Amino acid sequence: MKTSSNHGFGTRAIHAGQQPDPTTGAICTPIYQTSTFVQSSPGVIKGEYDYSRAANPTRDALQDNLASLEGGKYGLCFSSGVAATGVVLHLLSSGDKVLLCDDVYGGTNRLFHRVFAQLGIETVLVDMTDPDRVTEAMDERTKLVWVETPTNPTLKVIDIERVSEAAHMGGAIVAVDNTFASPYLQNPLALGADIVCHSTTKYIGGHSDAIGGALIVNDDEIHQRLKFVQLSEGAVPGIMECFLFLRSTKTLHVRMDRHCENAMKVAEYLSGHAAIEKVVYPGLKSHPQHDIARKQMRGFGGMVTIYLKGGLEASRKMLERVAIFGLAESLGGVESLIEHPAIMTHASVPAEQRAKLGISDGLVRLSVGIEDADDLIADLKQSLA
Ligand SMILES: *Cc1c(COP(=O)(O)O)cnc(C)c1O
């Protein structure tokens, strides 16, 4: 079935980019597990394909599917989320400056500060919850503004529309890492961003069984440049991964609805718990940017951050006691996970920066899965008893 932007999210999730297989009628896009394609005469190729690093039908189906879900013209898939991020950085040249939101994913921070800094690209951290700070930090060398919202792990919400305006006024392009929200809850291109980045490893994949990344854009020229780097650097996903992600996007809307519902119940339960100092969830009225979240998101996601009374000792006790929540890094899968950012995911962030961001020893991050909410709440209750 051919889909258009008029179709609803669920219809596009299941059908966009996917036609019944022309040779057999198979309803699922086959896993075209092949590196190369036979030519009938030198340079004469059958369809659009000659070599799978350049293009592969299973990957094309996924790229078109993700483009449709983000409301973009073009999708490009990569072997991981950080590979996708690195490709965006290749739009820059030595001497250029990047503004990065201060509470950015650790791997993104490392890529900017420790890999691309060597190539003469300067990175400045900005608290983008105040878009005026973006305007203040812009200068003629600033070519890219990198936003992540909600952020990890403090779940700050950044106004994509206002930050995009500020960046464009100063002549920079805007990339938004939309991993935490997923395309079901937030579409940055419609809010003025130029590039959307995903770690498909998380909600898009949703089953904690594959690593991948994606970029979605509208602009023809930006697409051509990113596609050229995809071909030239070759950080493309495996064909089997493309199939797994295509299988996953078919249920993205259903999973996200349950993630949001469960996360709200968990956040409300923990808000009333005596062992907890503070609960951070964009869906709570107490969240400092709740109004912006309401404006730019269709739901508040599956991530909940809590501050425990009693610091490290209390956190350790809780994390050793959970039974349904898995103590592990990563997020966005059907199974609930819980972790301690200061020791685990954010250990590479300098202690001084962690303190500034509020990533303390009492901070615990939950990725609320789609199990039964009552069981999740019972598990948290016993872990805090
Ligand atoms: C996991 C993650 C990434 C990196 O993705 P990988 O697939 O692990 O390379 C980037 N941004 C965010 C917000 C993430 O959660």
Side-chain angles (χ1 to χ4, degrees):
M1 168 195 169
K2 268 239 169 310
T3 57
S4 76
S5 54
N6 293 329
H7 287 106
F9 189 95
T11 307
R12 284 180 285 130
I14 292 164
H15 296 288
Q18 297 163 86
Q19 307 301 327
D21 179 48
T23 52
T24 66
I27 194 157
C28 293
T29 301
I31 307 165
Y32 285 94
Q33 193 77 47
T34 186
S35 58
T36 193
F37 300 82
V38 174
Q39 310 190 4
S40 57
S41 178
V44 180
I45 59 176
K46 242 189 166 144
E48 303 155 48
Y49 303 104
D50 56 5
Y51 187 60
S52 281
R53 169 158 43 75
N56 173 283
T58 314
R59 191 172 96 211
D60 276 358
L62 175 63
Q63 295 186 152
D64 292 349
N65 182 258
L66 293 176
S68 170
L69 297 186
E70 277 293 0
K73 230 161 126 182
Y74 306 106
L76 292 166
C77 289
F78 300 91
S79 54
S80 69
V82 292
T85 307
V87 167
V88 175
L89 277 160
H90 280 296
L91 296 175
L92 304 171
S93 310
S94 177
D96 288 350
K97 198 167 111 178
V98 179
L99 306 186
L100 194 59
C101 63
D102 58 0
D103 187 24
V104 78
Y105 176 71
T108 305
N109 196 54
R110 179 173 56 202
L111 188 61
F112 278 85
H113 279 105
R114 308 225 348 234
V115 179
F116 280 85
Q118 290 177 8
L119 304 178
I121 292 162
E122 189 194 343
T123 302
V124 178
L125 292 172
V126 178
D127 178 1
M128 297 188 186
T129 54
D130 179 0
D132 291 341
R133 301 233 186 130
V134 174
T135 306
E136 284 158 26
M138 298 282 303
D139 62 20
E140 67 285 350
R141 289 197 298 123
T142 310
K143 298 290 157 58
L144 173 68
V145 174
W146 186 276
V147 181
E148 198 179 302
T149 177
T151 67
N152 175 18
T154 61
L155 303 176
K156 293 201 267 194
V157 175
I158 295 167
D159 190 327
I160 297 171
E161 207 166 3
R162 286 200 53 206
V163 168
S164 297
E165 276 168 22
H168 291 153
M169 286 274 279
I173 62 166
V174 179
V176 176
D177 182 336
N178 203 27
T179 300
F180 267 40
S182 89
Y184 182 57
L185 301 181
Q186 176 172 278
N187 297 124
L189 296 176
L191 299 165
D194 303 287
I195 301 172
V196 175
C197 176
H198 278 287
S199 166
T200 54
T201 312
K202 315 294 168 53
Y203 287 106
I204 288 176
H207 294 72
S208 309
D209 56 7
I211 301 271
L215 299 174
I216 298 100
V217 300
N218 269 325
D219 184 83
D220 296 342
E221 194 211 322
I222 295 177
H223 170 245
Q224 282 307 322
R225 290 178 66 195
L226 295 172
K227 190 175 150 83
F228 181 73
V229 181
Q230 182 193 43
L231 170 75
S232 307
E233 277 202 333
V236 294
I239 313 307
M240 180 57 100
E241 270 70 17
C242 293
F243 171 78
L244 287 172
F245 291 124
L246 267 177
R247 179 182 224 242
S248 293
T249 54
K250 292 181 205 290
T251 56
L252 181 61
H253 51 304
V254 183
R255 287 186 282 112
M256 289 314 296
D257 278 339
R258 185 62 70 87
H259 280 295
C260 292
E261 196 184 307
N262 281 358
M264 187 56 129
K265 286 183 184 164
V266 163
E268 279 173 347
Y269 167 72
L270 293 172
S271 294
H273 199 289
I276 309 252
E277 191 182 304
K278 189 167 76 167
V279 177
V280 184
Y281 181 62
L284 294 176
K285 286 203 183 70
S286 60
H287 188 285
Q289 294 97 31
H290 176 65
D291 290 343
I292 299 165
R294 285 187 78 97
K295 188 180 78 165
Q296 70 185 18
M297 300 177 80
R298 287 181 287 271
F300 305 107
M303 302 302 294
V304 177
T305 290
I306 56 176
Y307 289 86
L308 285 166
K309 290 177 187 164
L312 187 58
E313 205 182 321
S315 311
R316 205 181 279 283
K317 199 176 103 189
M318 180 191 188
L319 295 170
E320 286 172 355
R321 280 186 177 186
V322 285
I324 297 177
F325 278 82
L327 174 57
E329 301 194 0
S330 199
L331 59 109
V334 291
E335 57 285 281
S336 293
L337 299 180
I338 192 163
E339 66 113 5
H340 191 272
I343 296 177
M344 296 168 68
T345 49
H346 291 64
S348 70
V349 178
E352 189 187 313
Q353 174 77 2
R354 281 206 306 267
K356 216 170 122 192
L357 293 170
I359 307 173
S360 64
D361 286 344
L363 188 155
V364 168
R365 187 188 81 180
L366 290 79
S367 171
V368 181
I370 64 171
E371 300 96 335
D372 292 278
D374 290 346
D375 292 333
L376 296 178
I377 287 170
D379 190 32
L380 293 170
K381 185 175 179 185
Q382 68 78 22
S383 77
L384 290 165

